[in-house]
Amino acid sequence: MKTLATRIASLSVGAKIAAIMVVLMFPIGHFAWLIAQSVQKDVAFSSLEVEGAKAVRDVWAGLAEAARPDSSLNPTAVEAVKRAETVSGRFSATAAVEAFRQALANAQDREAALDRGQVAIQKIADGSNLTLDPEVTTYYLMDAATVRLPEIVVARALMEQSYQAFVGVGREVSMTEYEAFIQASTRFDMGLSALRSSIKSAQDSRQDLGSKLGEQLATFNAAADRLSSLTTTLRKVIASNLPNPLKPAEFDAAEAAIAAGSDALWQAVESNLVSLLDQRIDLRIRHTRPRALRIQIKALLRLL
């Protein structure tokens, strides 16, 4: 210790000042390093979100096909789900996506495919940080894309199955069929209300989303309102035991419109979500390095 003090005392004034500056630069450099580390964590977090959103896009393709009114299944939808399955390990969602793909192959159990499709989307969202998104706009866009719209298409498909017993048939309907219809139509209406709330919250937090989602949202709302109107009329007819004035063709047209409208709105929501996440990543990268450098330069100038 004495030797060290002697050595320090033997230094010139300039050397002592230089040594003090070097010592003081260590905490400053450490602080800049901490900033860089924080940014890297933020970028990694958002990058995983982007990957998750793209994987959800492929699962959505399968879910939308499984829910189509004509019950057809485009082979490209199955390929999309397989594509999602290859990356699902990143999000701890392999089992869920695999179960959905297998359910898609069984045309006789449509309800199971719908349920597993919803689960697969939610698993990817959970495992990719999407459900933990820290910003208002992207959080509500995520909610619309991974929770609300999947719920809408599943509820609509189940509602379609349940009201077939009441439209265009000449037999007496059982209480079980009636309850299934009421449950499905109520589920659709609740899902529709929740979706509209999420979209509104996203638009309120970022005004330009009004124009970016405007066309798709208007088309979707018109189709959803038409289907809700038909099911409300059907509920009243059933409850009053009146003749059913509704024709199968009316429901077919409404079903086709809401299926197309849901898909178009989902594509627009997901596209804007990914775009905003990419912007966040770019902003963090471009502004952080200069910020850390400015901190070091300012500290050095103050020491001088």
Side-chain angles (χ1 to χ4, degrees):
M1 192 71 181
K2 188 175 181 180
T3 303
L4 178 62
T6 303
R7 288 182 178 179
I8 293 175
S10 66
L11 295 174
S12 65
V13 173
K16 289 178 180 178
I17 293 175
I20 292 171
M21 290 176 60
V22 169
V23 170
L24 291 177
M25 283 301 294
F26 278 112
I28 296 170
H30 181 66
F31 181 62
W33 177 82
L34 288 176
I35 293 175
Q37 288 295 105
S38 174
V39 171
Q40 287 180 1
K41 286 178 63 177
D42 290 345
V43 169
F45 187 97
S46 296
S47 296
L48 191 61
E49 284 187 272
V50 172
E51 291 180 45
K54 291 177 179 178
V56 168
R57 182 189 303 163
D58 287 331
V59 178
W60 166 266
L63 181 64
E65 281 294 314
R68 285 176 63 86
D70 58 9
S71 299
S72 64
L73 187 61
N74 191 322
T76 59
V78 179
E79 291 303 314
V81 176
K82 288 180 179 179
R83 197 161 54 241
E85 190 175 353
T86 62
V87 298
S88 57
R90 281 275 286 154
F91 322 113
S92 302
T94 302
V97 178
E98 181 183 10
F100 177 44
R101 175 182 55 77
Q102 292 172 347
L104 278 176
N106 184 4
Q108 305 304 314
D109 197 356
R110 184 186 188 195
E111 192 169 339
L114 295 172
D115 178 66
R116 290 173 185 174
Q118 263 190 298
V119 170
I121 286 176
Q122 196 57 57
K123 287 289 187 182
I124 293 173
D126 290 344
S128 65
N129 301 328
L130 281 168
T131 51
L132 300 175
D133 191 274
E135 296 185 9
V136 173
T137 306
T138 43
Y139 175 84
Y140 281 109
L141 288 176
M142 172 282 303
D143 187 58
T146 66
V147 180
R148 307 307 174 186
L149 275 163
E151 173 66 6
I152 286 289
V153 298
V154 169
R156 183 213 55 74
L158 296 177
M159 187 167 63
E160 176 204 358
Q161 289 180 338
S162 64
Y163 70 58
Q164 295 296 332
F166 301 92
V167 181
V169 296
R171 63 175 177 82
E172 185 175 344
V173 177
S174 70
M175 181 57 68
T176 300
E177 290 171 319
Y178 174 69
E179 290 175 352
F181 169 66
I182 294 299
Q183 289 174 3
S185 58
T186 301
R187 180 177 175 179
F188 177 81
D189 289 341
M190 291 175 63
L192 182 59
S193 176
L195 170 65
R196 286 171 169 168
S197 176
S198 288
I199 294 290
K200 184 179 184 303
S201 295
Q203 290 178 322
D204 287 347
S205 67
R206 191 178 178 94
Q207 297 302 314
D208 61 342
L209 282 178
S211 59
K212 290 180 177 179
L213 301 177
E215 181 181 349
Q216 294 87 351
L217 187 59
T219 301
F220 169 84
N221 281 334
D225 288 342
R226 174 57 179 160
L227 184 57
S228 290
S229 175
L230 289 174
T231 56
T232 299
T233 299
L234 186 55
R235 280 199 297 261
K236 291 178 180 178
V237 166
I238 296 169
S240 304
N241 199 27
L242 296 173
N244 182 10
L246 302 173
K247 305 300 181 186
E250 294 180 89
F251 278 94
D252 291 344
E255 290 284 349
I258 189 67
S262 298
D263 186 58
L265 180 59
W266 191 92
Q267 300 295 339
V269 167
E270 193 266 355
S271 175
N272 279 279
L273 170 61
V274 171
S275 177
L276 289 174
L277 290 173
D278 283 337
Q279 289 176 33
R280 183 194 302 170
I281 293 169
D282 182 61
L283 188 66
R284 294 292 282 168
I285 292 174
R286 283 192 295 110
H287 285 268
T288 302
R289 289 176 181 172
R291 181 186 172 197
L293 183 60
R294 284 197 301 271
I295 289 173
Q296 291 175 312
I297 291 174
K298 285 180 180 179
L300 182 60
L301 289 175
R302 284 174 183 172
L303 289 174
L304 296 174

